[in-house]
Amino acid sequence: MARDRRPQLSDLDVEIPMGHVRVALRLLRILPPAAVLLLLIPSSYAQTVDLSGRYQCAQAKMHGKVIPCNAAPLILKNDGRFELRGWEGSYLVNGEWVELSDSLIKAKAKIEPGHKIVLRYYGKHGLVEMTYVRRVAELGKRALS
């Protein structure tokens, strides 16, 4: 007889959550902690820092000795291109590094405090470290160029 029985009013008093309701309830439990975590996580290191300008060579280091530098300047242009001693290509700021490249050569230079860029490479004299410093190009300009 139990099989032929129709649902009674007392059977319908029990509320059974539907699939969408369960999902919504789980999301409501997860969202507040997720929002707190997003606020606590440090922001991305992607930089929009403008490094464009003219950098004069301040010093060179070869064989562990610091020598005065009179090399050509490193020029970083606003459009993402650079010039260095006849070498031309594009540059990309990636965290604390400036990546210089053309179709054949790639180099990384470290950005240091005080508007400095340090380029390390192996040349005919072994490891060479060139330190470039950004200079103010025009008188009366308040920002570094």
Side-chain angles (χ1 to χ4, degrees), residues 1 9 37 43 50-51 53 55 71 84 93 107 115 117-118 120 125-126:
M1 276 266 202
L9 188 58
L37 284 175
S43 63
D50 182 20
L51 293 179
Y55 292 79
L84 176 62
V93 178
H115 306 286
I117 294 178
V118 179
R120 293 177 183 98
H125 301 290

Side-chain angles (χ1 to χ4, degrees), residues 36-64:
V36 169
L37 284 175
L38 285 175
L39 291 174
L40 294 178
I41 294 174
S43 63
S44 171
Y45 290 110
Q47 295 183 3
T48 57
V49 175
D50 182 20
L51 293 179
S52 62
R54 184 181 190 92
Y55 292 79
Q56 292 297 123
C57 185
Q59 70 179 24
K61 191 180 205 182
M62 288 189 286
H63 303 294

Side-chain angles (χ1 to χ4, degrees), residues 20-41:
H20 297 299
V21 174
R22 283 185 179 176
V23 171
L25 289 174
R26 286 185 182 164
L27 280 176
L28 284 175
R29 281 188 225 145
I30 294 172
L31 284 178
V36 169
L37 284 175
L38 285 175
L39 291 174
L40 294 178
I41 294 174

Side-chain angles (χ1 to χ4, degrees), residues 76-134:
L76 300 179
K77 299 178 181 180
N78 287 333
D79 63 357
R81 310 228 5 108
F82 76 91
E83 292 179 20
L84 176 62
R85 286 185 260 145
W87 181 32
E88 294 181 355
S90 61
Y91 74 92
L92 176 68
V93 178
N94 187 4
E96 59 186 25
W97 297 92
V98 177
E99 298 172 355
L100 308 168
S101 64
D102 66 5
S103 60
L104 300 174
I105 302 171
K106 290 186 180 186
K108 283 174 83 172
K110 184 152 171 93
I111 302 168
E112 293 191 349
H115 306 286
K116 294 180 185 176
I117 294 178
V118 179
L119 176 63
R120 293 177 183 98
Y121 65 93
Y122 285 96
K124 60 183 177 183
H125 301 290
L127 181 64
V128 179
E129 184 177 285
M130 309 281 286
T131 302
Y132 291 90
V133 180
R134 188 160 64 174

